[in-house]
């Protein structure tokens, strides 16, 4: 039924799955004593809302009796709310442990996908395994998997969709299906976390390229006119109201209050007497962007324990070092397929520096971490190949002799 090669492949993938599973459970029981962590958003919004939905599904309350906590949060995390409600429906109200166990299993499966990506793009199977293993033991890549919060659920969906869309575009070159899956995945993800609007920037580039290549001239002109008109309107009406509209209400809080990191770092309060001074408004943006960039790239976030800081700095220095050589390899070999994995990190940096502000725990950077690890491994593989003086093997196969 299966060839020896297929059996070997299955055993390798199953081994990666089991390893990820064991490491997660060991960390969960060793560090958290098997207690599921819960974010404040989960406690105050998602959990009460999920309980009401389950009671409604069981016929214990009527629809009109449901009173959602934080309605905007319900919309922004709607798919996460449905997931939590289903877990409560099948495993009992308030069973957060079931959520964590499901996340661990799902993440372990995604780790197999991570390994598969390394096998396709790396020349060395040793480097592929090493960086897959690093992705399992890097605390900041697995810690939020053990919490009931949107971060893990969102990243699972995002990673799978992102991989599949790149497969459709670069490997299968099925552009119509790529466009269809893009819109479907976008609406699924955006109602899980609004970060999708920015993190999907790389796909906007691909869609624009497809539009330029395949759309008729008239449609191209209409789209170009609409984009130019929108951009011109933004420039002409640049003030806090326009910016607030573009960022769904968050910019006034960050800009006027001078928030760099929630509750911990601020620049000086906004001077209302200078609200009409465009030089002042722009210089304030620059200052905020600078401090947000510092917090985003900071290797030792000040609120963390010393051990956590050292662990984070150790791995991030490795990732940044090898990512530099990864970029050299991408541009040297014109490997645009792999470049799009790295662009998730770039999109995340844009989002944190220019739009939303950085949290002290860097939890909103959780989505891009596996993509950064993939990039670092790609660079390490490049250095390793130079050291071994071997030829590149495009789409190298782990099982090739």
């Amino acid at each position: 039924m299966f060839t020896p090669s297929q059996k070997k492949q299955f055993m390798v993938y199953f081994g990666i799955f089991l390893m990820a599973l064991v490491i997660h459970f060991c960390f969960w029981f060793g560090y958290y004593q098997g207690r599921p962590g819960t974010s404040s958003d989960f406690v105050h919004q998602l959990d009460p809302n999920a309980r009401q939905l389950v009671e409604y599904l069981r016929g214990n309350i009527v629809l009109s009796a449901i009173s959602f906590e934080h309605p905007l949060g319900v919309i922004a995390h709607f798919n996460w709310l449905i997931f939590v409600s289903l877990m409560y429906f099948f495993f009992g109200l308030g069973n957060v442990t079931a959520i964590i166990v499901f996340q661990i299993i799902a993440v372990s499966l995604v780790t197999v996908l991570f390994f598969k990506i390394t096998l396709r793009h790396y020349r060395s199977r040793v480097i592929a395994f090493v960086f897959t293993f690093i992705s399992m033991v890097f605390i900041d890549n697995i810690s939020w998997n053990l919490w009931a919060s949107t971060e893990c659920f969102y990243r699972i969906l995002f990673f799978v969709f992102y991989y599949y869309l790149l497969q459709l575009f670069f490997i299968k070159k099925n552009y119509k299906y790529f466009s269809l899956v893009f819109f479907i995945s976008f609406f699924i993800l955006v109602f899980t976390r609004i970060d999708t609007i920015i993190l999907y920037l790389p796909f906007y580039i691909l869609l624009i390229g497809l539009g330029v290549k395949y759309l008729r001239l008239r449609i191209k002109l209409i789209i170009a006119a609409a984009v130019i008109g929108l951009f011109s309107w933004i420039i002409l009406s640049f003030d806090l109201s326009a910016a607030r509209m573009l960022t769904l209400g968050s910019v006034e809080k960050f800009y006027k209050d001078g928030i760099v990191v929630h509750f911990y770092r601020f620049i000086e309060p906004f001077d209302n007497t200078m609200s009409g001074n465009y030089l002042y408004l722009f210089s304030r943006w620059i200052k905020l962007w600078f401090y947000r960039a510092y917090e985003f790239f900071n290797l030792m976030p000040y609120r963390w324990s010393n051990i956590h800081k050292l662990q984070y700095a150790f791995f991030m220095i490795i990732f940044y070092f090898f990512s530099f050589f990864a970029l050299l390899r991408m541009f040297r070999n014109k490997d645009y397929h792999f470049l799009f994995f790295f662009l998730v990190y770039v999109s995340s940096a844009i989002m944190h520096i220019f739009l939303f502000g950085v949290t002290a725990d860097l939890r909103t950077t959780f989505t891009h971490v596996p993509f950064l690890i993939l990039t670092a491994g790609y660079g390490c593989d490049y250095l390793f190949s130079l050291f071994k003086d071997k030829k590149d093997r495009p789409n190298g196969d782990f099982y090739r002799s």
Side-chain angles (χ1 to χ4, degrees), residues 53-92:
L53 280 180
V54 172
E55 291 296 337
Y56 167 71
L57 292 174
R58 290 176 175 171
N60 296 331
I61 61 174
V62 296
L63 185 61
S64 59
I66 297 178
S67 177
F68 285 120
E69 300 286 339
H70 200 290
L72 289 179
V74 171
I75 297 172
H77 306 302
F78 180 76
N79 293 319
W80 167 242
L81 173 61
I82 296 301
F83 166 71
V84 173
S85 300
L86 289 174
M87 297 301 289
Y88 282 2
F89 183 82
F90 289 109
F91 299 102

Side-chain angles (χ1 to χ4, degrees), residues 11-230:
M11 291 305 296
V12 171
Y13 287 156
F14 187 67
I16 293 294
F17 170 74
L18 284 181
M19 187 180 300
L21 208 64
V22 169
I23 290 174
H24 273 89
F25 275 110
C26 286
F27 184 63
W28 187 27
F29 283 96
Y31 186 78
Y32 292 113
Q33 289 81 47
R35 295 191 300 269
T38 52
S39 66
S40 59
D41 290 344
F42 180 86
V43 172
H44 299 296
Q45 298 176 28
L46 273 300
D47 177 71
N49 293 335
R51 288 173 183 269
Q52 291 186 82
L53 280 180
V54 172
E55 291 296 337
Y56 167 71
L57 292 174
R58 290 176 175 171
N60 296 331
I61 61 174
V62 296
L63 185 61
S64 59
I66 297 178
S67 177
F68 285 120
E69 300 286 339
H70 200 290
L72 289 179
V74 171
I75 297 172
H77 306 302
F78 180 76
N79 293 319
W80 167 242
L81 173 61
I82 296 301
F83 166 71
V84 173
S85 300
L86 289 174
M87 297 301 289
Y88 282 2
F89 183 82
F90 289 109
F91 299 102
L93 285 177
N95 192 344
V96 182
T97 298
I99 296 174
I100 303 303
V101 171
F102 178 90
Q103 290 182 171
I104 291 175
I105 294 172
V107 165
S108 298
L109 290 172
V110 171
T111 304
V112 175
L113 178 58
F114 181 100
F115 184 55
K116 184 178 180 180
I117 294 171
T118 64
L119 296 181
R120 172 176 290 278
H121 292 277
Y122 298 4
R123 289 172 49 187
S124 168
R125 57 187 180 181
V126 174
I127 300 299
F129 174 78
V130 167
F131 274 84
T132 301
F133 181 74
I134 288 175
S135 74
M136 301 180 203
V137 298
F138 179 39
I139 292 175
D140 293 274
N141 188 48
I142 68 173
S143 59
W144 287 103
N145 297 333
L146 308 177
W147 282 67
S149 66
T150 56
E151 278 73 23
C152 177
F153 182 76
Y154 177 74
R155 190 171 74 169
I156 291 170
L157 294 176
F158 183 90
F159 194 89
V160 172
F161 278 130
Y162 200 90
Y163 164 78
Y164 186 54
L165 282 166
L166 291 185
Q167 286 287 107
L168 288 174
F169 190 91
F170 289 102
I171 304 300
K172 298 181 179 180
K173 300 186 185 303
N174 189 334
Y175 303 131
K176 290 183 179 179
Y177 197 45
F178 164 82
S179 302
L180 174 64
V181 174
F182 165 83
F183 287 107
I184 293 173
S185 65
F186 179 85
F187 282 104
I188 291 174
L189 290 170
V190 81
F191 289 109
T192 306
R193 285 189 69 92
I194 202 170
D195 305 17
T196 309
I197 294 174
I198 306 300
L199 295 181
Y200 255 36
L201 278 174
F203 292 137
Y204 304 159
I205 297 171
L206 296 181
L207 286 173
I208 291 171
L210 291 177
V212 171
K213 186 174 182 179
Y214 293 107
L215 291 179
R216 296 178 180 177
L217 178 61
R218 180 180 297 178
I219 299 177
K220 290 179 185 178
L221 291 175
I222 293 174
I223 294 175
V227 171
I228 293 173
L230 176 63

